[in-house]
Coordinates of all heavy atoms in Angstrom, one line a residue:
M1 N -7.4 8.7 -4.8 CA -8.0 9.6 -3.8 C -8.1 9.0 -2.5 O -8.6 7.9 -2.4 CB -9.4 10.0 -4.3 CG -10.3 10.7 -3.4 SD -9.9 12.5 -3.2 CE -10.5 13.1 -4.8
I2 N -7.7 9.6 -1.4 CA -7.8 9.0 0.0 C -9.2 9.5 0.5 O -9.5 10.7 0.6 CB -6.6 9.6 0.8 CG1 -5.3 9.0 0.3 CG2 -6.9 9.1 2.3 CD1 -4.1 9.6 1.0
E3 N -10.0 8.5 0.8 CA -11.4 8.8 1.3 C -11.4 9.0 2.8 O -12.3 9.6 3.3 CB -12.3 7.7 0.9 CG -12.5 7.5 -0.6 CD -13.3 8.6 -1.2 OE1 -14.0 9.4 -0.5 OE2 -13.2 8.7 -2.5
G4 N -10.4 8.3 3.5 CA -10.4 8.4 4.9 C -9.2 7.8 5.5 O -8.4 7.1 4.7
Y5 N -9.0 7.9 6.8 CA -7.8 7.2 7.4 C -8.2 7.0 8.9 O -9.0 7.6 9.5 CB -6.5 8.0 7.2 CG -6.5 9.3 8.1 CD1 -6.0 9.3 9.3 CD2 -7.1 10.5 7.5 CE1 -6.1 10.5 10.1 CE2 -7.0 11.6 8.3 CZ -6.6 11.7 9.5 OH -6.6 12.8 10.2
G6 N -7.4 6.1 9.5 CA -7.5 5.9 10.9 C -6.1 5.6 11.5 O -5.2 5.2 10.8
I7 N -6.0 6.0 12.8 CA -4.6 5.7 13.4 C -4.9 4.9 14.7 O -5.7 5.3 15.5 CB -3.9 7.0 13.8 CG1 -3.6 7.8 12.5 CG2 -2.6 6.7 14.5 CD1 -3.1 9.2 12.8
L8 N -4.3 3.8 14.8 CA -4.5 2.8 15.9 C -3.2 2.4 16.5 O -2.2 2.2 15.7 CB -5.2 1.5 15.2 CG -5.5 0.4 16.2 CD1 -6.8 0.7 16.9 CD2 -5.6 -0.9 15.4
T9 N -3.0 2.4 17.8 CA -1.9 1.8 18.4 C -2.4 0.6 19.2 O -3.5 0.5 19.7 CB -1.3 2.8 19.4 OG1 -2.1 3.0 20.4 CG2 -0.9 4.1 18.8
V10 N -1.4 -0.5 19.2 CA -1.7 -1.7 20.0 C -0.5 -2.0 20.8 O 0.6 -2.1 20.2 CB -2.0 -2.9 19.1 CG1 -2.5 -4.1 19.9 CG2 -3.1 -2.6 18.1
A11 N -0.7 -2.2 22.1 CA 0.5 -2.6 22.9 C -0.1 -3.3 24.2 O -1.1 -2.8 24.7 CB 1.4 -1.4 23.3
A12 N 0.6 -4.3 24.6 CA 0.3 -5.0 25.9 C -1.2 -5.4 26.0 O -1.8 -5.1 27.1 CB 0.7 -4.1 27.1
G13 N -1.8 -5.8 24.9 CA -3.2 -6.3 25.0 C -4.3 -5.2 25.0 O -5.5 -5.5 25.0
E14 N -3.8 -4.0 24.8 CA -4.7 -2.8 24.7 C -4.6 -2.0 23.4 O -3.4 -2.0 22.9 CB -4.5 -1.8 25.8 CG -4.9 -2.2 27.1 CD -4.7 -1.0 28.1 OE1 -4.3 0.1 27.7 OE2 -4.8 -1.2 29.4
S15 N -5.7 -1.6 22.8 CA -5.6 -0.8 21.6 C -6.2 0.6 21.8 O -7.1 0.7 22.6 CB -6.1 -1.5 20.4 OG -7.5 -1.8 20.6
H16 N -5.6 1.6 21.1 CA -6.2 2.9 21.2 C -6.4 3.5 19.8 O -5.5 3.4 19.0 CB -5.2 3.9 21.9 CG -5.1 3.5 23.4 ND1 -5.6 4.2 24.4 CD2 -4.4 2.5 24.0 CE1 -5.3 3.6 25.6 NE2 -4.6 2.6 25.3
L17 N -7.6 4.0 19.6 CA -7.9 4.6 18.3 C -7.6 6.1 18.4 O -8.3 6.8 19.2 CB -9.4 4.4 18.0 CG -9.9 4.9 16.7 CD1 -9.1 4.4 15.5 CD2 -11.4 4.8 16.4
L18 N -6.6 6.5 17.8 CA -6.1 7.9 18.0 C -6.8 8.9 17.1 O -6.9 10.1 17.3 CB -4.6 8.0 17.8 CG -3.7 7.1 18.7 CD1 -2.2 7.3 18.5 CD2 -4.1 7.4 20.2
N19 N -7.2 8.4 15.9 CA -7.9 9.3 14.9 C -8.7 8.4 14.0 O -8.3 7.2 13.6 CB -6.9 10.1 14.2 CG -7.5 11.5 13.8 OD1 -8.7 11.6 13.8 ND2 -6.6 12.5 13.6
L20 N -9.8 8.9 13.5 CA -10.6 8.3 12.4 C -11.2 9.4 11.7 O -11.9 10.3 12.3 CB -11.7 7.4 13.1 CG -12.7 6.7 12.1 CD1 -11.9 5.6 11.3 CD2 -13.8 6.1 12.9
C21 N -11.0 9.4 10.4 CA -11.5 10.6 9.6 C -11.9 10.2 8.2 O -11.1 9.5 7.6 CB -10.4 11.7 9.6 SG -11.0 13.3 9.1
V22 N -13.0 10.7 7.7 CA -13.5 10.5 6.4 C -13.5 11.9 5.7 O -14.0 12.8 6.4 CB -14.8 9.8 6.3 CG1 -15.5 9.7 5.0 CG2 -14.8 8.4 7.0
R23 N -13.1 11.9 4.5 CA -13.1 13.3 3.9 C -14.6 13.8 3.8 O -15.5 13.1 3.6 CB -12.4 13.3 2.5 CG -13.2 12.8 1.4 CD -12.2 12.8 0.1 NE -13.0 12.3 -1.0 CZ -13.5 13.0 -1.9 NH1 -13.1 14.3 -2.0 NH2 -14.3 12.5 -2.9
P24 N -14.7 15.1 4.0 CA -16.1 15.7 4.1 C -17.1 15.3 3.0 O -18.2 15.0 3.3 CB -15.9 17.2 4.2 CG -14.5 17.3 4.8 CD -13.7 16.1 4.3
E25 N -16.6 15.3 1.8 CA -17.5 14.9 0.7 C -17.9 13.5 0.7 O -18.9 13.2 -0.1 CB -16.7 15.3 -0.7 CG -16.3 16.7 -0.9 CD -15.0 17.1 -0.1 OE1 -14.4 16.2 0.5 OE2 -14.6 18.3 -0.1
S26 N -17.3 12.7 1.4 CA -17.7 11.2 1.3 C -18.3 10.8 2.6 O -18.5 9.5 2.8 CB -16.4 10.4 1.0 OG -15.8 10.8 -0.2
R27 N -18.7 11.6 3.4 CA -19.2 11.2 4.7 C -20.7 10.7 4.5 O -21.3 11.1 3.5 CB -19.2 12.3 5.8 CG -17.8 12.6 6.3 CD -17.7 13.7 7.3 NE -16.3 14.0 7.4 CZ -15.8 15.1 8.0 NH1 -16.6 16.0 8.5 NH2 -14.5 15.2 8.1
G28 N -21.2 9.9 5.4 CA -22.6 9.3 5.4 C -22.8 8.2 4.3 O -23.8 7.9 3.9
E29 N -21.6 7.7 3.8 CA -21.7 6.6 2.8 C -21.2 5.2 3.4 O -21.0 4.3 2.6 CB -20.8 7.0 1.6 CG -21.3 8.2 0.9 CD -20.4 8.7 -0.3 OE1 -19.4 7.9 -0.6 OE2 -20.5 9.7 -0.8
G30 N -21.0 5.2 4.7 CA -20.6 3.9 5.3 C -19.1 3.8 5.4 O -18.6 2.6 5.9
I31 N -18.3 4.7 5.0 CA -16.9 4.5 5.0 C -16.3 4.5 6.4 O -15.4 3.7 6.7 CB -16.2 5.7 4.1 CG1 -16.6 5.5 2.6 CG2 -14.7 5.6 4.2 CD1 -16.2 6.6 1.7
G32 N -16.8 5.5 7.3 CA -16.3 5.5 8.6 C -16.6 4.2 9.4 O -15.7 3.6 10.0
R33 N -17.7 3.6 9.2 CA -18.1 2.3 9.8 C -17.1 1.2 9.3 O -16.6 0.4 10.1 CB -19.5 1.9 9.5 CG -19.9 0.5 10.0 CD -21.3 0.2 9.7 NE -22.2 0.8 10.7 CZ -23.3 1.5 10.3 NH1 -23.7 1.7 9.1 NH2 -24.1 2.0 11.3
K34 N -17.0 1.2 8.0 CA -16.0 0.2 7.4 C -14.6 0.3 7.9 O -14.0 -0.7 8.3 CB -16.1 0.4 5.9 CG -15.8 -0.8 5.1 CD -16.2 -0.5 3.6 CE -15.6 -1.7 2.7 NZ -15.8 -1.4 1.4
L35 N -14.1 1.5 8.0 CA -12.8 1.8 8.5 C -12.7 1.3 10.0 O -11.7 0.7 10.3 CB -12.5 3.3 8.5 CG -11.6 3.9 7.3 CD1 -11.5 5.3 7.5 CD2 -10.1 3.2 7.4
L36 N -13.7 1.7 10.7 CA -13.7 1.3 12.2 C -13.7 -0.2 12.3 O -12.9 -0.7 13.2 CB -14.9 2.0 12.9 CG -15.0 1.7 14.4 CD1 -13.9 2.2 15.2 CD2 -16.3 2.2 14.9
R37 N -14.5 -0.9 11.6 CA -14.5 -2.3 11.7 C -13.2 -3.0 11.2 O -12.7 -3.9 11.8 CB -15.7 -2.9 10.9 CG -17.0 -2.5 11.5 CD -18.2 -3.2 10.7 NE -19.5 -2.8 11.4 CZ -20.6 -3.2 11.0 NH1 -20.7 -3.9 9.9 NH2 -21.7 -2.9 11.7
F38 N -12.6 -2.3 10.2 CA -11.3 -2.8 9.8 C -10.2 -2.7 10.9 O -9.5 -3.5 11.2 CB -10.8 -2.1 8.5 CG -9.4 -2.4 8.2 CD1 -9.1 -3.7 7.6 CD2 -8.4 -1.5 8.4 CE1 -7.8 -4.0 7.3 CE2 -7.1 -1.8 8.1 CZ -6.7 -3.0 7.6
L39 N -10.3 -1.4 11.6 CA -9.3 -1.2 12.6 C -9.5 -2.1 13.8 O -8.6 -2.6 14.5 CB -9.4 0.3 13.1 CG -8.8 1.3 11.9 CD1 -9.3 2.7 12.3 CD2 -7.3 1.1 11.8
I40 N -10.8 -2.4 14.1 CA -11.1 -3.4 15.2 C -10.5 -4.8 14.9 O -10.0 -5.5 15.7 CB -12.7 -3.5 15.4 CG1 -13.1 -2.2 16.2 CG2 -13.0 -4.7 16.2 CD1 -14.6 -2.0 16.2
S41 N -10.7 -5.2 13.6 CA -10.1 -6.5 13.2 C -8.6 -6.5 13.3 O -8.0 -7.5 13.7 CB -10.6 -6.9 11.8 OG -10.1 -6.1 10.9
L42 N -8.0 -5.4 12.9 CA -6.6 -5.3 13.0 C -6.1 -5.4 14.5 O -5.1 -6.0 14.8 CB -6.2 -3.9 12.4 CG -4.8 -3.7 12.0 CD1 -4.4 -4.7 10.8 CD2 -4.7 -2.3 11.4
A43 N -6.8 -4.7 15.4 CA -6.4 -4.7 16.8 C -6.5 -6.2 17.4 O -5.6 -6.6 18.1 CB -7.4 -3.8 17.6
R44 N -7.7 -6.8 17.0 CA -7.8 -8.3 17.3 C -6.7 -9.1 16.9 O -6.1 -9.9 17.6 CB -9.2 -8.8 16.7 CG -10.4 -8.4 17.5 CD -11.5 -9.3 17.3 NE -12.7 -8.8 17.7 CZ -13.7 -8.3 17.0 NH1 -13.6 -8.2 15.7 NH2 -14.8 -7.9 17.6
R45 N -6.3 -8.9 15.7 CA -5.2 -9.7 15.0 C -3.9 -9.4 15.8 O -3.1 -10.3 15.8 CB -5.0 -9.2 13.6 CG -5.0 -10.5 12.6 CD -4.7 -10.0 11.2 NE -5.7 -9.2 10.7 CZ -5.6 -8.2 9.7 NH1 -4.3 -8.1 9.1 NH2 -6.5 -7.6 9.3
H46 N -3.8 -8.4 16.4 CA -2.5 -8.1 17.2 C -2.8 -8.3 18.7 O -2.1 -7.7 19.6 CB -2.1 -6.6 17.0 CG -1.5 -6.5 15.5 ND1 -0.2 -6.7 15.3 CD2 -2.1 -6.1 14.4 CE1 0.0 -6.5 14.0 NE2 -1.1 -6.2 13.4
D47 N -3.8 -9.1 19.0 CA -4.0 -9.7 20.4 C -4.6 -8.6 21.4 O -4.3 -8.7 22.6 CB -2.8 -10.4 20.9 CG -2.5 -11.6 20.1 OD1 -3.4 -12.3 19.6 OD2 -1.3 -11.8 19.9
A48 N -5.2 -7.5 20.9 CA -5.8 -6.6 21.8 C -7.1 -7.2 22.3 O -7.8 -7.8 21.6 CB -6.0 -5.3 21.1
D49 N -7.4 -7.0 23.7 CA -8.6 -7.4 24.2 C -9.7 -6.3 24.3 O -10.9 -6.5 24.6 CB -8.4 -7.9 25.6 CG -7.5 -9.1 25.7 OD1 -7.6 -10.0 24.8 OD2 -6.6 -9.2 26.6
I50 N -9.1 -5.0 24.1 CA -10.1 -3.8 24.4 C -9.6 -2.7 23.5 O -8.3 -2.6 23.2 CB -10.0 -3.5 25.9 CG1 -11.0 -2.3 26.2 CG2 -8.6 -3.0 26.4 CD1 -11.5 -2.3 27.6
L51 N -10.5 -1.9 23.1 CA -10.2 -0.7 22.3 C -10.7 0.6 23.0 O -11.8 0.6 23.3 CB -10.8 -0.8 20.9 CG -10.7 0.4 19.9 CD1 -9.2 0.8 19.7 CD2 -11.3 0.1 18.6
F52 N -9.8 1.5 23.3 CA -10.1 2.8 23.9 C -10.1 3.9 22.9 O -9.3 3.9 21.9 CB -9.2 3.1 25.0 CG -9.1 2.2 26.1 CD1 -8.1 1.3 26.3 CD2 -10.0 2.3 27.1 CE1 -8.1 0.4 27.4 CE2 -10.0 1.6 28.3 CZ -9.1 0.6 28.4
L53 N -11.0 4.9 23.1 CA -10.9 6.2 22.3 C -11.4 7.3 23.0 O -12.1 7.2 24.0 CB -11.5 6.0 20.9 CG -13.0 5.7 21.0 CD1 -13.8 7.0 20.9 CD2 -13.4 4.9 19.6
E54 N -11.1 8.5 22.6 CA -11.7 9.7 23.1 C -12.4 10.5 22.0 O -11.9 10.5 20.9 CB -10.6 10.6 23.7 CG -10.2 10.2 25.2 CD -8.8 10.1 25.4 OE1 -8.1 10.9 24.6 OE2 -8.3 9.5 26.3
V55 N -13.5 11.2 22.3 CA -14.2 11.9 21.4 C -14.8 13.2 22.0 O -15.1 13.2 23.2 CB -15.4 10.9 20.8 CG1 -16.4 10.6 21.9 CG2 -16.2 11.7 19.6
R56 N -14.8 14.3 21.2 CA -15.3 15.5 21.7 C -16.8 15.3 22.1 O -17.6 14.6 21.3 CB -15.3 16.5 20.5 CG -13.9 17.2 20.4 CD -14.0 18.2 19.3 NE -12.6 18.7 19.0 CZ -12.1 19.8 19.6 NH1 -12.8 20.5 20.4 NH2 -10.9 20.2 19.3
A57 N -17.2 15.9 23.2 CA -18.6 15.7 23.7 C -19.6 16.2 22.6 O -20.7 15.7 22.4 CB -18.7 16.6 25.0
S58 N -19.2 17.2 21.7 CA -20.1 17.9 20.8 C -20.1 17.1 19.5 O -20.9 17.5 18.6 CB -19.7 19.3 20.5 OG -18.4 19.3 19.9
N59 N -19.3 16.0 19.4 CA -19.1 15.4 18.1 C -20.2 14.3 17.9 O -20.1 13.1 18.1 CB -17.8 14.7 17.9 CG -17.5 14.2 16.6 OD1 -18.4 14.1 15.8 ND2 -16.2 14.1 16.2
A60 N -21.4 14.8 17.6 CA -22.6 13.9 17.5 C -22.5 12.7 16.5 O -22.9 11.6 16.8 CB -23.9 14.7 17.1
A61 N -21.9 13.0 15.3 CA -21.8 12.0 14.3 C -20.9 10.9 14.8 O -21.2 9.7 14.7 CB -21.2 12.5 13.0
A62 N -19.7 11.2 15.3 CA -18.8 10.2 15.8 C -19.4 9.4 17.0 O -19.3 8.2 17.1 CB -17.4 10.8 16.2
R63 N -20.0 10.1 17.9 CA -20.6 9.5 19.0 C -21.7 8.5 18.6 O -21.7 7.4 19.2 CB -21.1 10.5 20.1 CG -19.9 11.2 20.7 CD -20.5 12.2 21.8 NE -21.0 11.5 22.9 CZ -21.5 12.2 24.0 NH1 -21.4 13.6 24.0 NH2 -22.0 11.5 25.0
A64 N -22.4 8.8 17.6 CA -23.5 7.8 17.2 C -22.8 6.6 16.5 O -23.3 5.6 16.8 CB -24.4 8.6 16.1
L65 N -21.8 6.9 15.7 CA -21.1 5.8 15.1 C -20.5 4.8 16.1 O -20.8 3.6 16.1 CB -19.9 6.3 14.2 CG -18.9 5.2 13.7 CD1 -19.6 4.2 12.8 CD2 -17.8 5.9 13.0
Y66 N -19.9 5.4 17.2 CA -19.3 4.5 18.2 C -20.4 3.8 19.1 O -20.2 2.6 19.4 CB -18.4 5.3 19.1 CG -17.2 5.9 18.4 CD1 -16.8 7.2 18.6 CD2 -16.4 5.2 17.5 CE1 -15.7 7.8 17.9 CE2 -15.4 5.7 16.8 CZ -15.0 7.0 17.0 OH -13.9 7.6 16.3
Q67 N -21.5 4.4 19.2 CA -22.5 3.8 20.0 C -23.1 2.6 19.2 O -23.2 1.5 19.8 CB -23.6 4.8 20.3 CG -24.6 4.2 21.3 CD -25.8 5.1 21.6 OE1 -25.9 6.2 21.0 NE2 -26.7 4.6 22.4
V68 N -23.4 2.8 17.9 CA -24.0 1.7 17.2 C -22.9 0.6 17.0 O -23.4 -0.6 16.8 CB -24.6 2.0 15.8 CG1 -25.9 2.9 16.0 CG2 -23.6 2.7 14.9
E69 N -21.7 0.9 17.1 CA -20.6 -0.2 16.9 C -20.2 -0.8 18.3 O -19.2 -1.5 18.4 CB -19.4 0.4 16.2 CG -19.8 0.7 14.7 CD -20.2 -0.5 14.0 OE1 -19.6 -1.5 14.0 OE2 -21.2 -0.4 13.2
G70 N -21.0 -0.5 19.3 CA -20.8 -1.2 20.6 C -19.9 -0.7 21.6 O -19.5 -1.4 22.5
F71 N -19.5 0.6 21.5 CA -18.7 1.2 22.5 C -19.5 1.7 23.7 O -20.6 2.1 23.6 CB -18.0 2.4 21.9 CG -16.8 2.0 21.0 CD1 -17.0 1.6 19.7 CD2 -15.5 2.0 21.5 CE1 -16.0 1.3 18.9 CE2 -14.5 1.7 20.7 CZ -14.7 1.3 19.4
N72 N -18.9 1.6 24.9 CA -19.5 2.1 26.2 C -18.7 3.2 26.7 O -17.5 3.3 26.6 CB -19.5 0.9 27.1 CG -20.3 -0.2 26.7 OD1 -21.5 -0.1 26.4 ND2 -19.6 -1.4 26.6
E73 N -19.4 4.1 27.4 CA -18.8 5.3 28.0 C -18.1 5.0 29.3 O -18.8 4.3 30.2 CB -19.9 6.4 28.3 CG -20.2 7.2 27.0 CD -21.0 8.5 27.4 OE1 -20.8 9.0 28.5 OE2 -21.8 9.0 26.5
L74 N -16.9 5.4 29.4 CA -16.2 5.0 30.7 C -16.2 6.2 31.6 O -16.0 6.1 32.8 CB -14.7 4.6 30.4 CG -14.5 3.3 29.6 CD1 -13.1 3.0 29.7 CD2 -15.3 2.2 30.3
G75 N -16.2 7.4 31.0 CA -16.0 8.6 31.8 C -15.8 9.8 30.9 O -15.9 9.7 29.7
T76 N -15.3 10.9 31.6 CA -15.1 12.2 30.9 C -13.8 12.7 31.3 O -13.4 12.7 32.5 CB -16.2 13.2 31.4 OG1 -17.4 12.7 31.0 CG2 -16.1 14.5 30.7
R77 N -13.1 13.3 30.3 CA -11.9 14.1 30.7 C -12.3 15.6 30.5 O -12.5 16.1 29.4 CB -10.7 13.8 29.7 CG -10.1 12.5 29.9 CD -8.7 12.5 29.1 NE -8.4 11.1 28.7 CZ -7.9 10.2 29.5 NH1 -7.6 10.5 30.7 NH2 -7.6 9.0 29.0
K78 N -12.4 16.3 31.6 CA -12.9 17.6 31.7 C -11.9 18.6 30.9 O -10.7 18.5 31.1 CB -12.9 18.1 33.2 CG -13.9 19.1 33.4 CD -15.3 18.6 33.8 CE -16.3 19.8 33.8 NZ -17.3 19.7 32.7
D79 N -12.6 19.4 30.0 CA -11.7 20.4 29.4 C -10.6 19.9 28.6 O -9.5 20.5 28.6 CB -11.3 21.5 30.3 CG -12.5 22.2 31.0 OD1 -13.5 22.4 30.3 OD2 -12.3 22.7 32.1
Y80 N -10.7 18.8 28.0 CA -9.6 18.1 27.4 C -9.2 18.8 26.0 O -8.0 18.9 25.8 CB -10.0 16.6 27.1 CG -8.9 15.8 26.6 CD1 -7.8 15.3 27.5 CD2 -8.9 15.2 25.3 CE1 -6.8 14.6 27.0 CE2 -7.9 14.4 24.9 CZ -6.9 14.0 25.7 OH -5.9 13.2 25.3
Y81 N -10.2 19.1 25.2 CA -9.9 19.7 23.9 C -10.0 21.2 23.9 O -10.9 21.8 24.5 CB -10.9 19.1 22.9 CG -10.8 17.7 22.6 CD1 -11.9 16.8 23.0 CD2 -9.8 17.1 21.9 CE1 -11.8 15.5 22.8 CE2 -9.8 15.7 21.6 CZ -10.9 14.9 22.0 OH -10.8 13.6 21.8
P82 N -9.1 21.9 23.1 CA -9.3 23.3 23.0 C -10.4 23.5 21.9 O -10.7 22.7 21.1 CB -8.0 23.8 22.4 CG -7.3 22.6 21.7 CD -7.9 21.4 22.5
Q83 N -11.2 24.6 22.1 CA -12.1 25.0 21.0 C -12.2 26.5 20.9 O -11.4 27.1 21.6 CB -13.5 24.4 21.4 CG -14.1 25.0 22.6 CD -15.6 24.6 22.8 OE1 -16.2 24.0 21.9 NE2 -16.2 25.0 23.9
A84 N -12.9 27.0 20.0 CA -12.8 28.5 19.6 C -12.9 29.4 20.8 O -12.1 30.2 21.0 CB -14.0 28.8 18.6
N85 N -13.8 29.1 21.7 CA -13.9 29.9 22.9 C -13.9 29.1 24.2 O -14.9 28.8 24.7 CB -15.2 30.9 22.9 CG -16.4 30.1 22.5 OD1 -16.3 28.9 22.2 ND2 -17.6 30.8 22.5
G86 N -12.7 28.6 24.5 CA -12.6 27.9 25.7 C -12.1 26.5 25.5 O -11.3 26.2 24.6
R87 N -12.7 25.5 26.3 CA -12.2 24.1 26.2 C -13.5 23.2 26.2 O -14.6 23.7 26.5 CB -11.4 23.7 27.5 CG -10.3 24.7 27.9 CD -9.0 24.4 27.2 NE -8.5 23.1 27.3 CZ -7.4 22.8 26.6 NH1 -6.8 23.7 25.8 NH2 -7.0 21.5 26.7
E88 N -13.3 22.0 25.8 CA -14.4 21.0 25.6 C -14.0 19.8 26.2 O -12.9 19.3 26.1 CB -14.7 20.9 24.1 CG -15.9 19.9 23.8 CD -16.2 19.8 22.3 OE1 -15.5 20.5 21.5 OE2 -17.2 19.2 22.1
D89 N -15.0 19.1 26.8 CA -14.8 17.7 27.5 C -14.5 16.6 26.4 O -15.0 16.7 25.3 CB -15.9 17.3 28.3 CG -16.3 18.2 29.5 OD1 -15.3 19.0 29.8 OD2 -17.3 18.1 30.1
A90 N -13.7 15.7 26.8 CA -13.6 14.5 26.0 C -14.4 13.4 26.7 O -14.4 13.3 27.9 CB -12.1 14.0 25.9
I91 N -15.1 12.6 25.9 CA -15.8 11.4 26.4 C -14.9 10.2 26.1 O -14.4 10.1 25.0 CB -17.1 11.2 25.7 CG1 -18.0 12.5 25.7 CG2 -17.9 10.1 26.3 CD1 -18.4 13.0 27.0
I92 N -14.6 9.4 27.2 CA -13.7 8.2 27.0 C -14.7 7.1 26.7 O -15.6 6.8 27.5 CB -12.9 8.0 28.3 CG1 -12.2 9.2 28.7 CG2 -12.0 6.8 28.1 CD1 -11.7 9.2 30.1
L93 N -14.4 6.3 25.6 CA -15.2 5.2 25.2 C -14.3 4.0 25.2 O -13.1 4.1 24.9 CB -15.8 5.4 23.9 CG -16.7 6.6 23.7 CD1 -17.2 6.7 22.3 CD2 -18.0 6.5 24.7
A94 N -14.9 2.8 25.4 CA -14.2 1.5 25.2 C -15.1 0.5 24.7 O -16.3 0.5 24.9 CB -13.6 1.1 26.6
R95 N -14.5 -0.5 24.0 CA -15.2 -1.7 23.6 C -14.4 -2.9 23.7 O -13.2 -2.9 23.4 CB -15.5 -1.5 22.0 CG -16.5 -2.4 21.6 CD -16.6 -2.4 20.0 NE -16.3 -3.8 19.7 CZ -16.9 -4.4 18.7 NH1 -17.6 -3.8 17.8 NH2 -16.7 -5.7 18.4
S96 N -15.0 -4.0 24.3 CA -14.3 -5.2 24.4 C -14.1 -5.8 23.1 O -15.0 -5.7 22.2 CB -15.0 -6.2 25.3 OG -15.1 -5.7 26.5
L97 N -13.0 -6.5 22.8 CA -12.8 -7.1 21.5 C -12.9 -8.6 21.6 O -12.7 -9.3 20.6 CB -11.3 -6.7 21.0 CG -11.1 -5.2 20.9 CD1 -9.8 -4.9 20.3 CD2 -12.2 -4.5 20.0
Ligands
COA1 C1 -17.1 10.4 12.4 C2 -16.9 10.0 10.9 C3 -15.6 9.3 10.8 C4 -18.1 9.1 10.4 O1 -17.7 8.7 9.1 P1 -18.9 8.5 8.0 O2 -18.2 7.7 6.9 O3 -19.6 9.7 7.7 O4 -19.9 7.5 8.8 P2 -20.8 6.3 8.2 O5 -21.4 6.8 6.9 O6 -20.0 5.0 8.2 O7 -21.9 6.2 9.3 C5 -21.9 5.2 10.2 C6 -22.9 5.5 11.4 O8 -22.4 6.7 12.1 C7 -23.5 7.5 12.5 N1 -23.4 8.8 11.8 C8 -22.6 9.1 10.8 N2 -22.8 10.4 10.5 C9 -23.7 10.9 11.3 C10 -24.3 12.2 11.5 N3 -23.9 13.3 10.7 N4 -25.2 12.4 12.5 C11 -25.6 11.3 13.2 N5 -25.0 10.1 13.1 C12 -24.1 9.9 12.2 C13 -24.7 6.7 12.1 O9 -25.1 5.9 13.2 C14 -24.3 5.9 11.0 O10 -25.0 4.8 10.8 P3 -26.4 4.8 9.8 O11 -25.9 5.4 8.5 O12 -26.7 3.4 9.7 O13 -27.4 5.7 10.5 C15 -16.9 11.3 10.0 O14 -18.1 12.0 10.3 C16 -15.7 12.2 10.2 O15 -14.7 11.9 9.6 N6 -15.8 13.2 11.1 C17 -14.7 14.2 11.3 C18 -13.6 13.5 12.0 C19 -14.0 13.0 13.4 O16 -14.8 13.6 14.1 N7 -13.5 11.8 13.7 C20 -13.8 11.1 15.0 C21 -12.8 11.5 16.0 S1 -13.0 10.6 17.5

């Protein structure tokens, strides 16, 4: 059973977290944090100095996870994500490695 997955790119000293997902039935058990920490260690191993990501403004669970794991807000991409009735902003986050 796959409990979750993450997608990370690393190039030229920068890393980007493109996706992080835990299956709905397994959320709130620490798997997301564990996966995120693993991906951070992977980025470091590949000589990245910084990790960037984008998150929907309304995604309270993910934003709380990134905040407790030391990410800082860099800015906003206005109307970045499609949603049911319109568009939603992306919050750009980064963490030094
Ligand atoms: C975001 C996501 C990966 C978190 O995974 P998870 O395994 O449920 O998270 P964890 O159990 O490791 O929780 C770690 C921390 O995240 C925060 N958190 C997790 N779920 C939360 C919720 N529903 N509400 C508020 N904070 C939450 C808490 O700070 C938590 O720490 P704590 O348990 O010590 O309070 C998961 O909710 C998910 O897959 N969401 C859908 C996909 C998604 O939005 N991915 C992010 C895209 S940028």
